[in-house]
Amino acid sequence: MRWKSLSESIGVEYTKVAEIKGPLIIIDGVTKASFDELVEIETTEGDRRLGKVLEVGYGKAVVQVFEGTTGLAITGTKAKFLGKTMTMPVSQELLGRVFDGLGRPNDGLPDPVADKFLDVNGEPMNPESREYPTSFIQTGVSVIDGMLTLVRGQKLPIFSGSGMPHSILAAQIARQATVVGTKEDFAVVFAAIGVQYSEAQYFKRSLEESGALRRSVLFLNLADDPAIERIITPRVALTVAEYLAFDLGMHVLAILTDMTNYAEALREISAAREEVPGRKGYPGYLYTDLANNYERAGRIKGKNGSVTQVPILSMPADDITHPIPDLTGYITEGQIVLGRDLFRKGIYPPVNVLMSLSRLMKDGVGEGKTRSDHMEVGNQLYDLYSRAQEVRALAEIVGKAGLTGVDLKYLDAGDMFESYFLKQNPDENRNLEETMARAWAILSTLPEGELTKIKDKHVKQYHKKADK
Amino acid sequence: MVAKGKIVWVSGPAVKADGMSSAKMYETVGVGDTKLIGEVLRLTGDTAFIQVYESTSGLRPGEPVVGTGQPLSVLLGPGIIGKIYDGIQRPLDDIAQKSGAFIGRGISTTPVPMDKKYKFSPLLKKGDSIAGGSILGTVEETPLLTHSILVPPTHPGGEITEIVGEGEYDLEHPVAYVKGKNSAKSELKMYHKWPVRRPRPYTDRYDPTVPLITGQRIIDTYFPIAKGGTGAIPGGFGTGKTVTLHQIAKWADSKVVVYIGCGERGNEMTEVLVEFPHLLDPRSGRPLMERTVLVANTSNMPVAAREASIYTGVTIAEYYRDMGFDVVLVADSTSRWAEALREMSGRLEEMPAEEGYPSYLASRLAEFYERAGRVRALGSPERAGSVTIVGAVSPSGADFTEPVTTHTIRFIKTFWALDTRLAYSRHYPSINWMQSYSGYLEDVSKWWKENVSADWYDLRAESYHILQREDTLKEIVRLLGPEALPDEEKLVLEVARMIKIGILQQNSFDKIDTYCSPEKQLKLVRLMVKFYKESQNSLKGGKSLADIRAMPIITSLLKAKFEIPDDQMPKLDELDRRMSEEFKGTLAREVEVTV
């Protein structure tokens, strides 16, 4: 219905515009319209824009215009109600293509042929039909594989801040992600939501250079594109991701950046509708709305494919308690938090491991999946780094001289963790064995008795007894 | 006469319909051509304000709305255990069969299969008199659970004129006929319906005095909850609310567990569905699923049904309570329920109180937690049952001063405060032992004394005192460093560290550590307290703290929780002996040196 057929679309047309405010246009005298229906607005100049019905009744329809209301007039504007909700045409031909934020091709190539049209809002996946995610994804990034394991079908966001290298990390994951022992590559669905041109370009080039572009689909809503369009961008992207995964059986990595821009667009609409705000002016339904996007990840019983989601969001003023990261963390299965301190120290990836977490790690690692000591080693590393941070803080007060023997060991182990385990190059792909070897090298600088999170048999097997 | 009206306005889950003058408040209605399920929230003239439990996408003014004459109710009868329902008791497996992996709309199902036959064994005979709540007979619902067939609580009572013999019957088959006072006749089936927003009645209420054993050390030993009690577990994301609730659902020594996933992650419900059929109840050795009911309304499912899910769950819990069982209800998360309340309130254009929440938030929370309790059930025979409610709270920004947390605290007695800082250092469960409290401590101590050990209360207090002292000493350390403290106080820090690692921290994902029996809990506490006392003596005897720190027994004490399983308790006694010997050994050496 979109693409070529857009201009031929049929529907009921109304011309009585009652009010235009912010991203909303209110049409009067509406007799046939349904909630969530797609609307085509025609300006006096003959431009066509898309919108959808937010509220309908008593002869009025409140329509949200994706491309903004700039230039719309009370007289002369036509609104055609198209009789269906917004859909995205999908087919295998989408792979390798670039679309705008509403899902229209913008790479200058001919429109792909549609296999079917899918409602961009999707439907909630039945928990009964879900397959629990358990396949370990090797990203080649030590801190992720060793301590924050990503699992196929997981949603694991990156919480970042302005200027930090979240795009580099996401691109590295997209290039390197593999499921050990399989030859299946990930298809990448990338949604740029209000990001700068350079960032989107970086990502595209990175996919191109690694040859992954032909199994990627890109949706670009850039910083200078209409803000309200951003409401739709993750939805069309995830609709395509679900299609690739559950209709075509592919393993899809969906990267959405930056969800903060998405939430801000949502707030703009909510404010224009004069709704009672929740925290910081964001609508009370922000949690539900975000969940409707984030929950579109996972695996389905009896189907081959999967959708693994890596949303990126920038924390306003690096504040993790801000509603956007806060509500996101309540929905996603963990979070990778980038830390300003590590970034200033020049450590890449600057992952603040103590604030980060992968909830599904326990299910993706261990005997038969990775290694039987994987989870314990991860936990012990957390413990080590947390103790090291405490000792660091203490050393600042009492000086290094005031520290006891074990504390000094932790201090050194913490430094080694940062330089030898956490730090790696953006093009360095470490396999799990190497990651684990590095972990044990650090753990071995501590006396065996300190490894209280690791079973004795694993300590015996792997501890290098450096202190003896 | 049921109401028949027309939709005049749609906005998200909120719908207004005209021509609804005969509708009642909280009546369920069929909305639109596809008969979406909705509930009347407000009546103005002949306009009804309706919240719809399914997605309203595509709904338009002019479509019909039809009343049912009934408030939102659940069907109560055999077949509920082991099921997973959505917020309004539709089985998710039936929905999957009808609409595939994604949940479609307007699907009608029955909560339990009405044509499945159960073997009914009557307990009463012709001529017996019954009252509301009496047990007519029993049915083996699962190998773990004998289901009592209850006379509906509102039944006026009377005399049985006919009751079927032992045999197999489906749910629609009448099992008994009753003649009432004015010779009014009624037939009774193996199920009845009950409106979810109305608490089921009981005869009397008892004080909760028996602890709910969860196998979680920090809960059972330090902040216990009683059967029939209430508890809340607030915490920011990543602090382990869900894991703790899963642990309670898995290991609590109750007969039935109702798990409500209210606005949470889909994969978490799937995890329960995958895990519980394979996990065995430590007491009966049967799969946990045979005692569990799930109510799942995940975050992406319609928001109005999320509001209803809490009531659906608690009504099912009360029903099993009325059979004389101990039931645990866990609700994850009550904050999402409160948000659903807020969203509907906003659409009703009600005047908001704090942070946009409606002014009746507190009273709704109170009503919900008040449905917990240990009671004497209605009717005969005499029996006591309980509903224990544990609610997770997800405070925004992990700020415990937000409305849902502050109001919840007013209505619960056990408070497990999850601490983001503990979670960051991977101290799990991240229950803060200084902020948390239990109002049941004195009530349950009798049980511990009689069933586990007479010194339980004292050992608990002594070990807790060490933690309290550490908390104050920590301030000094932060300012001056640990070397500023005398050895006696450094020892407190050392033993507190051991209690934290060896007792408070518990790995839910470790086969052995995931459940810790009350006996083992007590032995571990006793070992730590003994270690502290022996060390104090050694210090007094001239031994240095470095000597104590170098004792090999320490690592063994810290790992006992996951190296020694519940069925090898003598190994803990062995540790005790080793500790005594090590202390003797060092003291002896000490003596030799001084000589």
Side-chain angles (χ1 to χ4, degrees), chain A residues 200-272:
Chain A
Q201 223 31 44
Y202 168 81
F203 206 90
K204 191 178 161 192
R205 218 174 30 245
S206 154
L207 288 175
E208 220 158 6
E209 282 163 9
S210 66
L213 194 61
R214 63 192 160 71
R215 46 186 168 85
S216 305
V217 189
L218 276 64
F219 295 88
L220 305 180
N221 168 289
L222 301 179
D224 56 352
D225 285 332
I228 303 307
E229 205 177 282
R230 288 166 201 161
I231 302 286
I232 291 301
T233 310
R235 290 187 163 81
V236 285
L238 291 168
T239 302
V240 171
E242 282 177 346
Y243 171 78
L244 295 176
F246 304 126
D247 282 42
L248 303 185
M250 306 175 84
H251 292 292
V252 182
L253 184 66
I255 295 171
L256 315 170
T257 178
D258 174 332
M259 288 304 282
T260 300
N261 295 332
Y262 169 83
E264 275 164 4
L266 210 61
R267 175 166 70 176
E268 198 178 325
I269 293 164
S270 174

Side-chain angles (χ1 to χ4, degrees), chain B residues 122-129 160 163:
Chain B
L123 278 186
L124 300 175
K125 55 184 190 306
K126 188 177 167 180
D128 285 348
S129 65
I160 294 180
I163 184 160

